[in-house]
Amino acid sequence: GSTATSISGSTFTGSGSISMTSTSNPEIKSLTVGGSGAGTFAAGGAVSLNDIHHTTDSHISGSANLGINGSITAKATDGSVIKGLAGAVAGAGGGAIGASIATNDIGNTITAYVANSTVDSGNGGVRVEAASNATIQTITVAGSGAGTFALGASVSLNDISNTIDAHISGGSDVEANGSIRVLASDNSLIESLAGNLSGAGGAAVGAAIATND
């Protein structure tokens, strides 16, 4: 999806201010559970696949001409959130296998810019800003128990790969009595917990893996 604000090929003059803000806050909340039990053999699994790809943009372009006494702002912000819980449990008198897998991916594009335009703030400032506050919070657990053999594994793969860009380009003429600020910021956060518990009268194998990028 996309969220955008823009001024293109237009002329604005006056004594006020111009403020364009594009804000996106997509959110995924996921709960995935699996369980099984049997006298001889049991297998339980849970798979959670979560993905957010969004474009957020605010810009002035197309030979726009802005002459304003007040401030001029083009700002794009994204606060995508994925919260996930995936869990699986298996129990049997003979053998049991329990596995849980979760993948969470945020790959957004956040842009704010002035291109091929004239921007003049007579008594204020000009601010061009792109910011990301993406967050992934995930818990992935698995458990298994059996009289003879038990195998349990949990895997959590988390990735935030946003593109955040703020710029002035294309021969733009930008003037201000106050400050001219071009800002790009990334405050992404991943909080991940992967755990496993396996027990058996004979042999038990347990593993937990988490990758965060």
Side-chain angles (χ1 to χ4, degrees), residues 26-32 46-53 80-87 100-108 134-141 154-162 188-194 209-213:
E27 182 175 6
I28 295 175
K29 293 181 179 180
S30 174
L31 174 62
T32 309
V47 178
S48 177
L49 308 176
N50 304 304
D51 178 86
I52 295 176
H53 281 81
S80 297
V81 176
I82 295 178
K83 296 181 179 180
L85 172 61
S100 179
I101 300 173
T103 67
N104 303 291
D105 179 40
I106 297 177
N108 296 326
T135 301
I136 294 175
Q137 297 175 321
T138 179
I139 298 175
T140 309
V141 294
S154 64
V155 178
S156 178
L157 307 176
N158 307 297
D159 179 72
I160 297 177
S161 54
N162 291 335
S188 298
L189 173 67
I190 296 177
E191 297 178 330
S192 174
L193 172 63
I209 300 172
T211 67
N212 305 298
D213 185 20

Side-chain angles (χ1 to χ4, degrees), residues 89-131:
V89 63
I97 299 174
S100 179
I101 300 173
T103 67
N104 303 291
D105 179 40
I106 297 177
N108 296 326
T109 300
I110 305 99
T111 54
Y113 62 90
V114 177
N116 301 301
S117 298
T118 299
V119 176
D120 185 1
S121 175
N123 292 311
V126 175
R127 185 182 183 98
V128 180
E129 181 177 4

Side-chain angles (χ1 to χ4, degrees), residues 9-11 38 53 128 179 181:
S10 300
T11 298
H53 281 81
V128 180
S179 62
R181 307 187 70 186

